[in-house]
Amino acid sequence: MKKNIIFTFAFLLIAISVTAQIDRSKMPTSGPTPTISLGEPTTFKLGNGLTVLVVENKKLPRVSISLSLDNPPNAEGEKAGIGSIVSQIMGKGTKNISKDAFNEEIDFLGAFLSVNVSGGFAQSLSKYTDRIIELFADAAIHPNFTQEELDLEKKKLIESIKAGENSAEAVANRVRSVLAFGKNHPAGEYATEKTINNITLSEVESYYRANFVPSNAYMVISGDITSDKAKQLAEKHFTPWTGGKAPSFGLPEVKDAQYRQINFVDMPNAVQTEMAVMNISDLKMADEDHHAALVANYILGGAFNSYINMNLREKHAYTYGARSNLARYKNYKGTFRVTTKVRNIVTDSAVVETLKEIKRIRTEEVDAEVLKNAKAKFLGDFILASEKDRTIANRSIKIKTEKLPKDFYETFIAKINAVTKADIKRVANKYFNIDKARIVLVGKGSDVLENLEKVTFEGKNIPILYFDKYGNKTEKPNYNETIPEGVTAQSILDNYFKVLGGKDKLEAVQSTFYTAAASMGGATLNMITKVTAKNQTYTDVLFGGNSVSKNVFDGTKGYQVVQGQKKEYTTDEIADAKKEIYPFPETKATEATLEGIEPYDAGKAYKLKMSDKKTTYFDIKNGLKIKDVLVQEQGGQKATTTITYSNYKEVQGIQFPYTISIAVGPQKFDFIVSEIKINEGVTDEDFK
């Protein structure tokens, strides 16, 4: 004990002494810039063509294996999606080990292992090196392709495609790629339900055999392992890997747009606009401009305090965030893109402000402090990433596959620090091409097109071309369609009641009881909703079995509980509840007015103004309700909630929607109804 006190006292004296010698009026001088050294990996090639690189790193008792296939890209055509399916099935057991046994052993080892048609990665403690390399090789060389797994992955992929049809973000990602590269290019093609259904088990196996071959493969074994041991294990487990050369076909030429233009996709259900300003770039990692382009993109839109984000988010509050990216591909041209999501009402302004910021970095010298800080932040991230085994592996492979000089990463910091203001302006003019920019917008045309048609930049109007959700040219949406003679708000409602099952049946419903669930980042949100004809409601949203939001109204008063905090309904909320809370609130409508016809994803809909806070849309052909748009005041700000209804099914002679999607701002939840009860399971006790 005495010894500990002496040591503590000694350390305290040293600390006081050091502190006393520090002059805090002066900024500390910077230490030397760290150097990055990958070391010279031991390299050898197996007889089957597999190139193996060994990077010894004894700092931690672990080993990593990274496999990368440098195959030429090829379009999948009528089998689009097959590569994704092959990748999803790989790693789920092998021909020698069942899926469950395989996963259990990986968990037991405390390891990580993933393989796909482009390569894979595994990591474990070094004491399990022999086994993790054996398991990695088994998963890569002997995948177990079964009809059961194929059917499961096809089903999951088709469900994902269907879910994306009503997602502005999913549509935007698809259309941007189609317009940049073309549908016949591997970077521009997309999977559909038809192409997925075209895929057979024999084709999956053939695709794997043709593409997963060692001749273009590179494997990096890094960590606590000797070169001799790595070579022994690689030869033992990967020599059985055989195969010829992966197929290679010519790629379509990729070109910029002929002139600056807006490419607009109408998504009537979009609650905000998906925006991208993009052009084609032919920058490669081996080019002299590489380092300057990295810094230029970082300043323009690669960081929180970038030009674009500070303008669109901080100055104008158009968006939660905006970023830019300058992609490089070895085998074909890439793209420069600025992407963001903006409020409908400011779409036109966001376009202009984005173009201004791109013009700014092309024409104005960057501030010295901004350049200095950008370099420091960029290099900080680079140096931090350099500690990771996987980064070391990827960089070793890049040097081989991108034909980079051996000292590419050793000189990386010096070359970043050498970037000048003149370099920034030069590469910005070369790679950020606003003169031939495609401004791809996916949004609600009825809200944004009127102002978009007035957009000018540098004194010139920006022409608008129209495309559908698949990148095909189409006509401008018609938002002024004539309402057929005799159609009124009441006739639309009467038809709605009829197609649901008849107004008499609707009015006989005393209560409804819904249970539904939505996925959220891999987890599940559950929702229970009870509504009565006595103007009562109970809605509870649960996450992990715990209530995160509950609303209760007993016909005269109500309350909301959010994460344990209870709030009583205000006078206005009570008045709104008394109007809206019924099993079929439209049967109580007295103020509905017909405002017009609007296109939506599946056709056209009548737009009915139900109140000053609610607008409802009914499909022209089938008469069903497809959407409610609710506007509410929150803290002096207007908030819009969009609820869409689809997948109607009959319950006791009445049609109910079994998919209910709720969107508030950027958040969207697709609730799938599992059960609906009519006139059962609901009592007055539920509303206390």
Side-chain angles (χ1 to χ4, degrees):
M1 180 67 178
K2 184 177 180 182
K3 187 176 182 180
N4 288 340
I5 293 173
I6 292 172
F7 277 132
T8 302
F9 189 69
F11 283 130
L12 181 61
L13 288 177
I14 292 170
I16 292 171
S17 174
V18 170
T19 303
Q21 296 175 38
I22 296 174
D23 184 353
R24 297 188 180 277
S25 66
K26 297 180 181 178
M27 182 178 291
T29 56
S30 300
T33 301
T35 57
I36 301 298
S37 176
L38 296 181
E40 185 65 32
T42 301
T43 305
F44 56 89
K45 184 174 281 194
L46 301 186
N48 58 12
L50 172 64
T51 300
V52 183
L53 300 87
V54 184
V55 181
E56 295 188 38
N57 182 356
K58 306 290 186 179
K59 290 181 181 178
L60 293 172
R62 70 183 181 199
V63 66
S64 301
I65 310 101
S66 183
L67 178 68
S68 178
L69 273 67
D70 187 35
N71 289 339
N74 292 308
E76 295 170 356
E78 294 183 355
K79 312 290 181 182
I82 190 170
S84 175
I85 285 177
V86 171
S87 293
Q88 289 299 319
I89 298 176
M90 290 178 71
K92 294 185 176 180
T94 76
K95 290 179 179 178
N96 303 308
I97 310 173
S98 71
K99 179 168 68 175
D100 291 342
F102 187 86
N103 292 336
E104 285 172 9
E105 183 167 6
I106 296 297
D107 290 342
F108 176 77
L109 297 177
F112 174 84
L113 192 155
S114 174
V115 292
N116 58 62
V117 78
S118 299
F121 182 79
Q123 188 175 75
S124 76
L125 293 173
S126 52
K127 64 181 178 179
Y128 301 128
T129 297
D130 292 41
R131 184 57 177 159
I132 197 65
I133 291 180
E134 182 179 14
L135 288 169
F136 186 79
D138 197 19
I141 303 172
H142 305 115
N144 190 26
F145 296 115
T146 66
Q147 189 63 48
E148 181 183 6
E149 288 293 338
L150 173 59
D151 291 342
L152 176 62
E153 294 304 329
K154 286 170 70 171
K155 181 181 178 183
K156 286 163 60 177
L157 189 50
I158 288 171
E159 286 177 352
S160 175
I161 291 169
K162 287 181 176 178
E165 289 307 295
N166 293 320
S167 164
E169 181 177 7
V171 169
N173 288 335
R174 177 170 61 218
V175 172
R176 290 168 190 168
S177 297
V178 169
L179 295 180
F181 298 101
K183 292 182 181 180
N184 297 322
H185 193 285
E189 70 177 357
Y190 53 86
T192 66
E193 184 173 358
K194 181 179 179 181
T195 65
I196 298 302
N197 282 326
N198 284 341
I199 298 167
T200 66
L201 183 61
S202 63
E203 288 166 337
V204 164
E205 293 168 338
S206 296
Y207 184 93
Y208 166 80
R209 286 194 300 271
N211 291 277
F212 200 82
V213 294
S215 56
N216 292 328
Y218 295 83
M219 185 167 69
V220 177
I221 303 175
S222 59
D224 185 17
I225 187 172
T226 65
S227 298
D228 289 342
K229 178 70 176 292
K231 185 173 184 180
Q232 173 199 338
L233 292 173
E235 289 177 340
K236 177 181 178 181
H237 297 297
F238 284 91
T239 296
W241 185 13
T242 59
K245 232 180 177 182
S248 177
F249 305 99
L251 297 178
E253 188 177 358
V254 176
K255 295 181 180 180
D256 262 322
Q258 290 182 314
Y259 50 86
R260 183 190 306 139
Q261 57 189 252
I262 292 172
N263 295 166
F264 188 81
V265 179
D266 187 32
M267 286 282 288
N269 67 316
V271 295
Q272 56 189 346
T273 301
E274 299 280 341
M275 184 179 91
V277 178
M278 51 193 262
N279 62 261
I280 302 301
S281 159
D282 198 17
L283 181 65
K284 308 295 182 190
M285 285 188 69
D287 292 348
E288 290 184 4
D289 289 339
H290 174 73
H291 302 84
L294 286 175
V295 179
N297 179 71
Y298 192 84
I299 293 169
L300 176 65
F304 180 84
N305 60 346
S306 63
Y307 285 7
I308 290 171
N309 198 56
M310 296 303 287
N311 182 322
L312 268 62
R313 175 190 161 107
E314 297 300 296
K315 181 179 179 181
H316 289 108
Y318 292 161
T319 177
Y320 288 116
R323 291 291 186 271
S324 67
N325 179 57
L326 184 57
R328 304 152 176 74
Y329 301 110
K330 171 189 171 184
N331 297 289
Y332 52 87
K333 295 178 182 178
T335 58
F336 162 71
R337 299 187 188 190
V338 176
T339 55
T340 186
K341 307 170 190 287
V342 298
R343 292 180 289 121
N344 289 342
I345 197 171
V346 298
T347 300
D348 55 317
S349 301
V351 168
V352 173
E353 292 303 319
T354 299
L355 292 174
K356 283 182 181 178
E357 294 302 337
I358 299 173
K359 181 177 180 179
R360 173 187 170 194
I361 200 170
R362 285 163 53 97
T363 56
E364 298 179 14
E365 239 184 27
V366 65
D367 180 80
E369 191 68 18
V370 170
L371 179 59
K372 177 184 174 183
N373 291 339
K375 290 180 186 179
K377 179 64 169 66
F378 192 91
L379 290 176
D381 293 342
F382 173 79
I383 294 166
L384 187 63
S386 300
E387 296 297 316
K388 299 175 182 177
D389 287 349
R390 195 163 187 173
T391 302
I392 294 170
N394 289 338
R395 290 176 180 172
S396 298
I397 294 172
K398 284 285 187 186
I399 288 173
K400 294 284 186 182
T401 59
E402 296 278 352
K403 295 182 173 56
L404 304 176
K406 287 185 178 181
D407 65 349
F408 181 84
Y409 290 102
E410 281 80 355
T411 61
F412 194 88
I413 293 175
K415 288 184 177 179
I416 289 291
N417 279 327
V419 174
T420 66
K421 296 179 183 181
D423 290 331
I424 297 298
K425 188 185 289 189
R426 175 178 57 79
V427 297
N429 277 277
K430 187 173 182 180
Y431 300 106
F432 309 158
N433 189 350
I434 55 174
D435 296 328
K436 294 187 175 182
R438 285 188 185 274
I439 303 160
V440 183
L441 304 174
V442 179
K444 187 176 181 180
S446 58
D447 285 355
V448 306
L449 276 179
E450 183 178 354
N451 288 333
L452 276 179
E453 290 172 339
K454 302 172 186 175
V455 168
T456 60
F457 185 70
E458 296 179 331
K460 297 178 182 178
N461 183 261
I462 303 178
I464 303 176
L465 305 178
Y466 298 92
F467 295 84
D468 66 16
K469 295 191 294 183
Y470 304 95
N472 302 306
K473 277 194 173 181
T474 188
E475 299 296 321
K476 176 183 175 181
N478 180 9
Y479 300 110
N480 299 308
E481 188 167 342
T482 304
I483 297 170
E485 189 175 346
V487 174
T488 65
Q490 191 57 53
S491 72
I492 293 167
L493 290 174
D494 288 342
N495 185 53
Y496 171 58
F497 302 147
K498 180 180 177 182
V499 297
L500 285 188
K503 193 171 184 181
D504 291 345
K505 282 187 178 180
L506 305 185
E507 291 178 341
V509 174
Q510 296 303 303
S511 69
T512 56
F513 182 170
Y514 287 72
T515 55
S519 63
M520 185 183 74
T524 299
L525 279 179
N526 292 293
M527 181 170 68
I528 298 171
T529 301
K530 301 179 182 183
V531 183
T532 77
K534 295 190 292 186
N535 200 205
Q536 300 164 313
T537 188
Y538 168 99
T539 300
D540 196 6
V541 179
L542 303 99
F543 180 75
N546 298 312
S547 177
V548 292
S549 177
K550 181 189 290 186
N551 275 278
V552 179
F553 186 70
D554 66 5
T556 58
K557 62 184 183 301
Y559 63 89
Q560 181 183 50
V561 180
V562 178
Q563 295 183 339
Q565 300 295 313
K566 185 175 180 180
K567 174 183 169 293
E568 300 291 338
Y569 274 21
T570 65
T571 302
D572 287 344
E573 288 170 339
I574 290 172
D576 289 340
K578 287 183 176 180
K579 290 180 182 179
E580 291 295 328
I581 293 173
Y582 296 96
F584 303 96
E586 292 80 14
T587 60
K588 306 293 183 181
T590 58
E591 305 172 8
T593 57
L594 176 55
E595 294 204 329
I597 296 173
E598 287 193 7
Y600 80 105
D601 300 331
K604 298 176 183 177
Y606 290 117
K607 177 182 179 182
L608 268 64
K609 189 79 170 176
M610 308 301 287
S611 69
D612 60 342
K613 296 180 180 179
K614 179 182 177 183
T615 303
T616 303
Y617 296 78
F618 299 87
D619 186 277
I620 284 180
K621 289 186 176 180
N622 62 33
L624 293 169
K625 179 169 70 171
I626 53 106
K627 180 170 65 175
D628 282 324
V629 178
L630 312 173
V631 179
Q632 296 171 307
E633 291 275 346
Q634 292 182 354
Q637 299 288 326
K638 286 188 176 181
T640 300
T641 301
T642 302
I643 307 172
T644 56
Y645 309 92
S646 59
N647 190 24
Y648 278 80
K649 297 180 183 179
E650 185 179 313
V651 180
Q652 296 183 26
I654 299 174
Q655 297 289 330
F656 286 91
Y658 267 67
T659 300
I660 302 172
S661 301
I662 303 173
V664 184
Q667 297 290 333
K668 182 173 179 285
F669 302 100
D670 297 318
F671 282 95
I672 308 301
V673 177
S674 57
E675 184 181 25
I676 297 176
K677 297 179 182 179
I678 298 174
N679 298 338
E680 63 172 305
V682 180
T683 69
D684 288 341
E685 293 295 315
D686 295 321
F687 310 104
K688 292 186 176 179

